[in-house]
Amino acid sequence: MSVEGLRERKKRATRIALSWAAIRLCVERGLDNVRVEDIAAEVGVSSRTFNNYFSSKSEAIAFRHLERARQIAEEHGHRPLDARPLRRPDHGPADRRTPAGVGGAARPLTRTPHTPQ
């Protein structure tokens, strides 16, 4: 795990602030009614600074969603390569194509011992 320095933390904070400002202004006014200059002014930076972080307002909006997806993956996606698969207790591997409730109530997935082949 690397330690982030002050400069990197400030850059990250600016990127996040610009992204949130883009989302907020576009929700309030609509995408076509928001300029890069408006987003930059909301955060207190120049439009040139905005362009150092994002190539467009759409990219600024997408950044927040991508960042959230990365955060979720980091929080929930760290499983060892040899982790046991999720299985239904009495039905073997879960069949995600079968709608819940077909053939009885849906059963929660649990971890079962995995035998390497």
Side-chain angles (χ1 to χ4, degrees):
M1 184 173 175
S2 65
V3 177
E4 198 175 38
L6 177 61
R7 183 176 182 160
E8 290 79 20
R9 286 193 310 267
K10 283 187 171 187
K11 283 183 173 183
R12 182 164 177 71
T14 300
R15 181 179 294 275
I16 290 169
L18 286 167
S19 181
W20 276 117
I23 292 168
R24 186 174 46 255
L25 290 173
C26 288
V27 167
E28 289 173 4
R29 303 178 191 174
L31 183 65
D32 293 335
N33 298 321
V34 176
R35 300 173 307 145
V36 166
E37 291 82 4
D38 300 330
I39 299 167
E42 184 83 8
V43 177
V45 299
S46 68
S47 56
R48 185 173 181 172
T49 298
F50 176 92
N51 289 320
N52 287 336
Y53 290 95
F54 302 108
S55 62
S56 67
K57 56 189 172 185
S58 297
E59 185 182 343
I61 292 167
F63 168 79
R64 187 67 224 135
H65 299 294
L66 178 60
E67 193 66 15
R68 181 67 181 135
R70 284 183 183 150
Q71 184 181 24
I72 290 169
E74 186 174 311
E75 290 172 1
H76 301 289
H78 288 299
R79 290 184 53 203
L81 293 176
D82 62 348
R84 293 173 288 169
L86 292 174
R87 296 181 182 271
R88 289 194 176 157
D90 57 347
H91 287 77
D95 184 359
R96 297 192 186 278
R97 294 170 293 171
T98 304
V102 173
R107 291 177 183 85
L109 295 175
T110 60
R111 296 214 182 269
T112 58
H114 174 68
T115 307
Q117 296 183 20

